[in-house]
Amino acid sequence: LTAKGNSLDITDGFAHLKIKDLDLADHQISSFENITYTKKSGGDSIHVNIPKLEWVPDINAIIDGKVMADDIRINSPVIHIDVTQKNEIETIKKISLWPETKIGKLIIEHPNLEFTKKSDRGTAKINWKGTDNVFELEDLNISKHPQTHFTAGKIRLSLHHFLYSSAKGRTFDAGDGQLNVLLSKVELEQNEANEWDWKAIISKLEAKKFVIDSLGKQAGKLAINSARLSDFSVVSSSLLNLRELITNNTKFKLDELTGSYYNNKNQFNWYNTGYDKNTRFFSADSFSYRPTQDKR
């Protein structure tokens, strides 16, 4: 099957999809250009603009209700998402209805993302203007039996000009810095309570010049000038328990950690700190601590 055309316009309930130009061929490089997608329902809204999408589709599998494709490349997408807490359960149900999927490789270049979630606790926001950023995913599989199960062989993520603010006012700001992450053996599974459990291995993480603000009861500020982390396993069930998380990791390595932490009572500074869990060896070029001077 091959097809070429323009001005594709599809409306389905509250959703509207438009593609200006398309060139489609089974198991060959295909492209969609000037894609717009909008959906508004129950206070939630999604707006997506994609100048160009290239991919290698398996059209027979798609006709059979599955998503099968290789080498998907999305260039400069602009995405605006606004959701509310009251529709969160419906969103989870829709995710669980996602069809069986196999994608060899997905690359998203220069994404521009604005995400807002409103709840009784406040408003959480994500802003990501990716001038030089890439999101890359390999070997994505979504199966349906017995529950919805997502796996990915590798996920590469580069964050630059990235800002996250939680509903409680906590912020993570990459600013002019950068965070490069390579995740492997990523799994996301829906459990019997229809909640999501996930786990992954941080194979490689490199951070430069980013800030996490409003930490803890003392509203501390953590600034990381540089850091490298490898072979660190993360699991959703122990994500909020740092001691348990470190105990369950037997061979991670932290290098070149330089930064500072300040709150209303204490000031910490460290330079070129490292720790090898396998050998239990800790090193630091320098470390300093002093109480914060009373402003009264």
Side-chain angles (χ1 to χ4, degrees):
L1 175 66
T2 61
K4 291 185 179 182
N6 54 49
S7 301
L8 177 65
D9 196 322
I10 300 174
T11 299
D12 182 12
F14 297 102
H16 188 197
L17 173 67
K18 295 179 69 175
I19 302 175
K20 185 176 180 181
D21 296 291
L22 62 89
D23 188 344
L24 189 64
D26 190 26
H27 293 288
Q28 297 180 41
I29 296 177
S30 304
S31 66
F32 295 162
E33 296 188 20
N34 296 317
I35 305 166
T36 60
Y37 174 80
T38 60
K39 183 176 182 179
K40 295 182 179 181
S41 177
D44 294 349
S45 65
I46 300 175
H47 300 271
V48 179
N49 289 279
I50 301 174
K52 189 172 185 178
L53 182 153
E54 294 182 312
W55 60 321
V56 179
D58 183 337
I59 295 178
N60 285 325
I62 293 172
I63 292 174
D64 197 33
K66 304 174 182 179
V67 178
M68 306 287 180
D70 285 316
D71 298 323
I72 302 175
R73 184 178 293 269
I74 301 173
N75 187 263
S76 302
V78 179
I79 305 168
H80 298 268
I81 301 174
D82 293 295
V83 298
T84 56
Q85 186 181 31
K86 64 181 181 180
N87 294 324
E88 190 170 6
I89 296 176
E90 291 300 320
T91 301
I92 292 174
K93 289 180 178 179
K94 290 176 182 178
I95 293 174
S96 65
L97 295 175
W98 191 269
E100 181 181 339
T101 299
K102 287 187 178 181
I103 295 176
K105 180 180 286 189
L106 167 65
I107 297 176
I108 302 176
E109 298 177 319
H110 317 308
N112 189 332
L113 170 66
E114 291 186 8
F115 173 86
T116 302
K117 178 184 176 181
K118 296 179 181 178
S119 67
D120 296 336
R121 293 176 294 178
T123 301
K125 294 183 179 181
I126 294 176
N127 289 281
W128 181 18
K129 296 183 179 179
T131 54
D132 300 316
N133 297 318
V134 172
F135 173 89
E136 184 175 329
L137 182 150
E138 295 182 10
D139 299 324
L140 172 67
N141 286 274
I142 302 176
S143 58
K144 306 293 293 182
H145 304 289
Q147 298 277 37
T148 305
H149 187 206
F150 296 71
T151 64
K154 293 180 181 179
I155 297 177
R156 291 182 180 87
L157 182 63
S158 175
L159 294 180
H160 184 64
H161 291 246
F162 179 89
L163 175 64
Y164 166 74
S165 57
S166 71
K168 295 183 178 180
R170 181 178 299 175
T171 62
F172 167 78
D173 188 0
D176 292 329
Q178 193 162 352
L179 184 67
N180 297 314
V181 184
L182 171 59
L183 303 176
S184 59
K185 297 182 180 179
V186 181
E187 293 187 36
L188 175 65
E189 186 171 19
Q190 189 178 24
N191 58 34
E192 294 180 355
N194 287 326
E195 297 178 347
W196 294 95
D197 298 324
W198 61 269
K199 60 183 179 180
I201 297 175
I202 301 176
S203 297
K204 185 177 181 181
L205 181 150
E206 295 180 345
K208 294 182 180 179
K209 297 181 181 179
F210 70 87
V211 177
I212 302 177
D213 208 348
S214 305
L215 284 173
K217 296 180 180 179
Q218 301 296 328
K221 184 176 182 178
L222 175 65
I224 300 296
N225 297 329
S226 64
R228 294 176 61 185
L229 178 67
S230 59
D231 296 323
F232 192 83
S233 299
V234 288
V235 183
S236 57
S237 59
S238 60
L239 188 63
L240 298 178
N241 190 330
L242 184 59
R243 178 176 293 182
E244 181 181 346
L245 200 59
I246 293 176
T247 300
N248 291 337
N249 276 273
T250 59
K251 61 177 184 178
F252 75 89
K253 190 174 182 181
L254 178 65
D255 296 300
E256 301 179 14
L257 177 60
T258 297
S260 61
Y261 174 77
Y262 296 82
N263 61 25
N264 294 330
K265 295 184 177 181
N266 303 298
Q267 299 182 26
F268 298 89
N269 292 272
W270 56 89
Y271 178 75
N272 200 20
T273 303
Y275 178 68
D276 190 328
K277 180 65 181 291
N278 190 37
T279 61
R280 297 186 179 182
F281 182 77
F282 173 84
S283 64
D285 283 1
S286 65
F287 178 85
S288 67
Y289 159 75
R290 70 173 183 264
T292 302
Q293 185 174 359
D294 195 332
K295 296 181 180 180
R296 292 179 294 176

